PDB file of all heavy atoms in Angstrom:
ATOM      1  N   SER A 112      95.045-170.866  75.589  1.00  0.00           N
ATOM      2  CA  SER A 112      95.371-169.814  76.554  1.00  0.00           C
ATOM      3  C   SER A 112      95.268-170.341  77.991  1.00  0.00           C
ATOM      4  O   SER A 112      96.146-170.097  78.816  1.00  0.00           O
ATOM      5  CB  SER A 112      94.417-168.640  76.324  1.00  0.00           C
ATOM      6  OG  SER A 112      94.477-167.740  77.388  1.00  0.00           O
ATOM      7  N   TYR A 113      94.175-171.066  78.282  1.00  0.00           N
ATOM      8  CA  TYR A 113      93.987-171.604  79.636  1.00  0.00           C
ATOM      9  C   TYR A 113      95.058-172.640  79.964  1.00  0.00           C
ATOM     10  O   TYR A 113      95.541-172.715  81.095  1.00  0.00           O
ATOM     11  CB  TYR A 113      92.595-172.233  79.787  1.00  0.00           C
ATOM     12  CG  TYR A 113      91.433-171.276  79.582  1.00  0.00           C
ATOM     13  CD1 TYR A 113      90.155-171.766  79.324  1.00  0.00           C
ATOM     14  CD2 TYR A 113      91.605-169.890  79.642  1.00  0.00           C
ATOM     15  CE1 TYR A 113      89.078-170.900  79.133  1.00  0.00           C
ATOM     16  CE2 TYR A 113      90.534-169.034  79.444  1.00  0.00           C
ATOM     17  CZ  TYR A 113      89.276-169.536  79.189  1.00  0.00           C
ATOM     18  OH  TYR A 113      88.218-168.690  79.005  1.00  0.00           O
ATOM     19  N   LYS A 114      95.446-173.449  78.961  1.00  0.00           N
ATOM     20  CA  LYS A 114      96.500-174.447  79.187  1.00  0.00           C
ATOM     21  C   LYS A 114      97.830-173.768  79.496  1.00  0.00           C
ATOM     22  O   LYS A 114      98.576-174.229  80.359  1.00  0.00           O
ATOM     23  CB  LYS A 114      96.682-175.331  77.949  1.00  0.00           C
ATOM     24  CG  LYS A 114      95.704-176.455  77.832  1.00  0.00           C
ATOM     25  CD  LYS A 114      96.093-177.283  76.616  1.00  0.00           C
ATOM     26  CE  LYS A 114      95.118-178.395  76.388  1.00  0.00           C
ATOM     27  NZ  LYS A 114      95.420-179.133  75.158  1.00  0.00           N
ATOM     28  N   ARG A 115      98.120-172.658  78.784  1.00  0.00           N
ATOM     29  CA  ARG A 115      99.378-171.938  79.067  1.00  0.00           C
ATOM     30  C   ARG A 115      99.361-171.394  80.492  1.00  0.00           C
ATOM     31  O   ARG A 115     100.363-171.473  81.206  1.00  0.00           O
ATOM     32  CB  ARG A 115      99.598-170.809  78.055  1.00  0.00           C
ATOM     33  CG  ARG A 115     100.093-171.302  76.708  1.00  0.00           C
ATOM     34  CD  ARG A 115     100.570-170.159  75.827  1.00  0.00           C
ATOM     35  NE  ARG A 115      99.501-169.232  75.485  1.00  0.00           N
ATOM     36  CZ  ARG A 115      98.614-169.429  74.510  1.00  0.00           C
ATOM     37  NH1 ARG A 115      98.646-170.532  73.786  1.00  0.00           N
ATOM     38  NH2 ARG A 115      97.685-168.521  74.264  1.00  0.00           N
ATOM     39  N   ASN A 116      98.215-170.835  80.911  1.00  0.00           N
ATOM     40  CA  ASN A 116      98.106-170.335  82.295  1.00  0.00           C
ATOM     41  C   ASN A 116      98.379-171.463  83.281  1.00  0.00           C
ATOM     42  O   ASN A 116      99.093-171.284  84.269  1.00  0.00           O
ATOM     43  CB  ASN A 116      96.706-169.765  82.547  1.00  0.00           C
ATOM     44  CG  ASN A 116      96.480-168.440  81.844  1.00  0.00           C
ATOM     45  OD1 ASN A 116      97.428-167.798  81.393  1.00  0.00           O
ATOM     46  ND2 ASN A 116      95.229-168.034  81.754  1.00  0.00           N
ATOM     47  N   ARG A 117      97.752-172.621  83.017  1.00  0.00           N
ATOM     48  CA  ARG A 117      97.904-173.780  83.900  1.00  0.00           C
ATOM     49  C   ARG A 117      99.347-174.286  83.906  1.00  0.00           C
ATOM     50  O   ARG A 117      99.957-174.441  84.958  1.00  0.00           O
ATOM     51  CB  ARG A 117      96.959-174.891  83.412  1.00  0.00           C
ATOM     52  CG  ARG A 117      97.054-176.191  84.187  1.00  0.00           C
ATOM     53  CD  ARG A 117      96.397-177.333  83.420  1.00  0.00           C
ATOM     54  NE  ARG A 117      97.168-177.655  82.212  1.00  0.00           N
ATOM     55  CZ  ARG A 117      96.764-178.522  81.289  1.00  0.00           C
ATOM     56  NH1 ARG A 117      95.601-179.130  81.402  1.00  0.00           N
ATOM     57  NH2 ARG A 117      97.510-178.766  80.238  1.00  0.00           N
ATOM     58  N   ASP A 118      99.900-174.528  82.724  1.00  0.00           N
ATOM     59  CA  ASP A 118     101.171-175.235  82.644  1.00  0.00           C
ATOM     60  C   ASP A 118     102.362-174.401  83.103  1.00  0.00           C
ATOM     61  O   ASP A 118     103.354-174.954  83.554  1.00  0.00           O
ATOM     62  CB  ASP A 118     101.404-175.760  81.223  1.00  0.00           C
ATOM     63  CG  ASP A 118     100.427-176.884  80.867  1.00  0.00           C
ATOM     64  OD1 ASP A 118      99.697-177.351  81.767  1.00  0.00           O
ATOM     65  OD2 ASP A 118     100.388-177.281  79.696  1.00  0.00           O
ATOM     66  N   HIS A 119     102.265-173.052  83.028  1.00  0.00           N
ATOM     67  CA  HIS A 119     103.428-172.279  83.474  1.00  0.00           C
ATOM     68  C   HIS A 119     103.567-172.332  85.000  1.00  0.00           C
ATOM     69  O   HIS A 119     104.626-172.034  85.525  1.00  0.00           O
ATOM     70  CB  HIS A 119     103.410-170.840  82.936  1.00  0.00           C
ATOM     71  CG  HIS A 119     102.753-169.840  83.815  1.00  0.00           C
ATOM     72  ND1 HIS A 119     101.418-169.518  83.692  1.00  0.00           N
ATOM     73  CD2 HIS A 119     103.230-169.095  84.843  1.00  0.00           C
ATOM     74  CE1 HIS A 119     101.112-168.611  84.611  1.00  0.00           C
ATOM     75  NE2 HIS A 119     102.179-168.334  85.317  1.00  0.00           N
ATOM     76  N   LEU A 120     102.505-172.756  85.708  1.00  0.00           N
ATOM     77  CA  LEU A 120     102.606-172.894  87.168  1.00  0.00           C
ATOM     78  C   LEU A 120     103.206-174.231  87.588  1.00  0.00           C
ATOM     79  O   LEU A 120     103.591-174.400  88.737  1.00  0.00           O
ATOM     80  CB  LEU A 120     101.219-172.752  87.819  1.00  0.00           C
ATOM     81  CG  LEU A 120     100.574-171.375  87.746  1.00  0.00           C
ATOM     82  CD1 LEU A 120      99.240-171.389  88.471  1.00  0.00           C
ATOM     83  CD2 LEU A 120     101.483-170.314  88.349  1.00  0.00           C
TER      84      LEU A 120
END
Side-chain angles (χ1 to χ4, degrees):
S112 167
Y113 299 162
K114 278 184 183 175
R115 283 192 296 279
N116 288 345
R117 177 196 68 187
D118 291 351
H119 92 268
L120 292 182

